[in-house]
Amino acid sequence: MSSTPATGRVATRRTRTRAALLEAAERAFVRHGFNGVTMERLAEEADVSVGSIYGHFSNKDGLYVAVATRAVELFGEYLQRAYAASDSPLEQVMTAGDAYLRFHLEHPGRFRFIAFDGVESRPSIANDAEDRVLAERLAAVLDGFRDRIGAAVACGEAGPHVDPELTARFLFGAWNGMVALTLRHDALGLDDAGISACTMQARRIVVEGLTAPAHRGGDGRATARLLDLPSAPPATG
């Protein structure tokens, strides 16, 4: 029993070290790209030894996958908040558009691991189990979004012409493309305010295209609300 407090302190310290490494790695990968990051640089930024990094992650690829996995998990939490905002599947789908915007605004570093398959190409490790798990987790998050679109079709809010799988992929790609405009430095670039306005315009266009006739008002417009999510509390871990 006397070793329990010490064991707890070790576990807490290990958790904090891992969190510090993930934070430092996210910043470094975004700033320098995968190939520009060394374990020595990460150790210095996180104020730990290189050996400590290897004690938590098998190698740089493993650390990269852990950072990306954390981004996927947080993205999934944002979408779950969108689904909880309404009992209407169609409104849930449209609120997910705002959730995606919020995710970018509040966590721009993590957003890049979702939107662009990472921040820079890495040596191919397509058969690596960790990479497959990461891809499966992101696919599962998008499958949940697809299922919300399917529910909107099933209850008659969205028209029978809507293919849930294709629509989910289209919207994911469209949102990626819009937010990616913040990375441009030419006349096509948009600031955060511009992206917010663009996203709202896109949501209006999409909801009109999805809505079945029975769920339109006397003016022919969709009755589904375009809900916005409040800012999320700071992410931990």
Side-chain angles (χ1 to χ4, degrees):
M1 294 293 293
S2 60
S3 64
T4 300
T7 301
R9 286 194 295 272
V10 169
T12 299
R13 184 164 58 250
R14 182 174 178 81
T15 298
R16 289 176 178 171
T17 299
R18 179 182 174 86
L21 285 171
L22 289 172
E23 290 290 341
E26 179 183 305
R27 293 192 298 270
F29 285 134
V30 170
R31 186 180 306 122
H32 305 293
F34 179 82
N35 294 323
V37 173
T38 65
M39 291 302 220
E40 289 74 19
R41 172 178 281 172
L42 285 175
E44 181 178 353
E45 185 164 346
D47 194 26
V48 299
S49 67
V50 173
S52 180
I53 299 179
Y54 285 108
H56 288 268
F57 308 98
S58 55
N59 50 35
K60 189 166 71 169
D61 277 311
L63 177 57
Y64 183 96
V65 170
V67 171
T69 297
R70 187 176 69 155
V72 170
E73 291 172 349
L74 183 60
F75 179 51
E77 291 175 10
Y78 270 68
L79 291 184
Q80 289 301 320
R81 290 175 56 217
Y83 305 153
S86 172
D87 293 328
S88 160
L90 182 58
E91 290 183 353
Q92 292 171 358
V93 170
M94 300 317 303
T95 307
D98 188 66
Y100 197 88
L101 173 65
R102 295 293 169 190
F103 180 68
H104 154 68
L105 293 176
E106 295 168 6
H107 304 281
R110 296 190 196 185
F111 161 80
R112 296 186 66 173
F113 290 87
I114 299 295
F116 310 118
D117 191 20
V119 294
E120 183 184 65
S121 60
R122 295 182 293 145
S124 177
I125 53 172
N127 294 323
D128 187 274
E130 288 182 322
D131 263 20
R132 291 198 302 273
V133 169
L134 173 59
E136 290 168 358
R137 287 183 177 177
L138 180 55
V141 170
L142 293 181
D143 285 348
F145 181 54
R146 174 205 63 199
D147 292 345
R148 290 295 83 211
I149 298 173
V153 174
C155 75
E157 289 184 333
H161 63 287
V162 175
D163 182 299
E165 181 75 31
L166 295 177
T167 302
R169 294 306 186 265
F170 161 71
L171 290 176
F172 180 65
W175 292 335
N176 277 347
M178 281 191 299
V179 178
L181 293 176
T182 61
L183 302 178
R184 298 187 67 99
H185 300 290
D186 56 17
L188 295 178
L190 290 174
D191 59 16
D192 286 342
I195 289 296
S196 296
C198 190
T199 301
M200 176 57 76
Q201 177 66 76
R203 291 166 71 202
R204 291 188 185 281
I205 293 171
V206 171
V207 75
E208 294 297 336
L210 291 177
T211 303
H215 290 270
R216 296 179 181 274
D219 59 357
R221 301 290 299 276
T223 57
R225 299 168 297 168
L226 296 179
L227 303 175
D228 295 335
L229 291 182
S231 297
T236 58

